[in-house]
Structures are given as C-alpha cells and as structure tokens.
C-alpha cells in the first residue's frame, strides 16, 4: 500500500524559507515520480513541482526560481525547499506519487502532463499547512 506523509509545514514570514518533506512507504520509491501540489481556500489545486525517477524537474510558473524539489531515494523522501516565500504561497501542500509508465516509448508523466487535471496520481499525502504572514 502506497503511503505518503508530509512534514515541515508551518508559519513563516514573507521572504522567509521553509522545507517540506514527504516520506514514502509501501512502494519502490525509485520507480516513482513525486510531485507537490497546493490548494488555497477557495482556489483550485495548483501544481508546484515534480521530480521524475530520472531526476528531471518541472515547476509551476508561480514558484519558478524560488522553490526547489529534490529526492533522496535512500531515505524514500522527497523535499520541497521554499525560499522567498510570499503570502500567496499560503496553502495546504500535498505530496503525490505515481509509478512511471511508458506509452510508445515515452513516459506518460512528463513536462506536459504532470500538472494536468486529467493526470491521475496513484497516491496522495494528507497535506501540510503552510502559512506565510508577517
């Protein structure tokens, strides 16, 4: 059973930094792509970042240049380093995982699809609240 547990959320000031972690269990971590999404009250889910099993990284436009996604397969953990935080970064942050699949030789999760509303991830974490406020 694929399980994901986020940690590291909390309160930070604008301009500050936080690091989220997501620990996976019940699956072969290295075969999976991992992603971070967020959802603020009254807003749609937004893709934050994704890292594939081959360490390719993709970012949402709102966080490019400020956030960094990384993974440690030995620890079954994916991280989201968030710098230059803004009040609009306030949201519940979710970790998601999906085993990499291929169709006609191309990974089904790629830069064009990772943030698509139609792409179904295999597992989601319970979420971690991030609040950015003076």
């Amino acid at each position: 059973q694929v399980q994901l547990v986020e940690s590291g959320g909390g309160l930070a000031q604008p301009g500050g930094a936080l690091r989220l972690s997501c620990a996976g269990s019940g699956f072969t971590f290295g075969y999976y792509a991992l992603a971070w999404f967020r959802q603020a009250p009254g807003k749609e889910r937004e893709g934050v970042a994704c890292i594939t099993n081959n360490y390719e990284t993709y970012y949402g436009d709102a966080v490019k240049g400020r956030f960094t996604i990384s993974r440690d397969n030995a620890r079954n953990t994916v991280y989201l380093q968030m710098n230059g935080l803004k009040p609009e970064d306030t949201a519940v942050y979710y970790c998601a995982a999906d085993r990499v699949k291929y169709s006609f030789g191309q990974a089904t999760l790629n830069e064009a699809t990772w943030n698509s509303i139609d792409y179904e991830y295999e597992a989601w974490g319970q979420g971690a609240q991030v609040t950015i406020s003076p």
Side-chain angles (χ1 to χ4, degrees):
Q1 181 180 2
V2 178
Q3 289 190 324
L4 300 168
V5 179
E6 299 98 336
S7 60
L11 176 66
Q13 293 186 339
L18 284 173
R19 188 176 81 157
L20 299 179
S21 300
C22 174
S25 62
F27 62 104
T28 305
F29 197 81
Y31 291 169
Y32 279 65
L34 288 305
W36 289 95
F37 290 83
R38 67 186 183 185
Q39 189 163 22
K43 294 189 176 181
E44 294 185 352
R45 187 188 78 186
E46 177 183 19
V48 177
C50 176
I51 186 166
T52 72
N53 60 323
N54 293 326
Y55 294 86
E56 293 180 39
T57 57
Y58 315 124
Y59 293 92
D61 289 340
V63 306
K64 282 180 181 177
R66 300 188 297 123
F67 290 10
T68 303
I69 189 170
S70 61
R71 64 189 295 162
D72 185 341
N73 288 350
R75 289 183 167 81
N76 286 2
T77 301
V78 60
Y79 304 98
L80 184 69
Q81 178 65 44
M82 305 184 291
N83 298 330
L85 286 163
K86 304 176 181 180
E88 52 263 42
D89 294 320
T90 295
V92 177
Y93 284 69
Y94 297 91
C95 175
D98 197 55
R99 185 180 176 110
V100 176
K101 300 176 283 293
Y102 295 89
S103 176
F104 299 102
Q106 184 176 14
T108 56
L109 188 153
N110 51 57
E111 189 167 17
T113 64
W114 76 274
N115 192 22
S116 169
I117 194 170
D118 295 322
Y119 192 92
E120 295 186 7
Y121 284 80
E122 181 176 338
W124 292 82
Q126 82 287 354
Q129 177 70 47
V130 171
T131 302
I132 311 304
S133 179

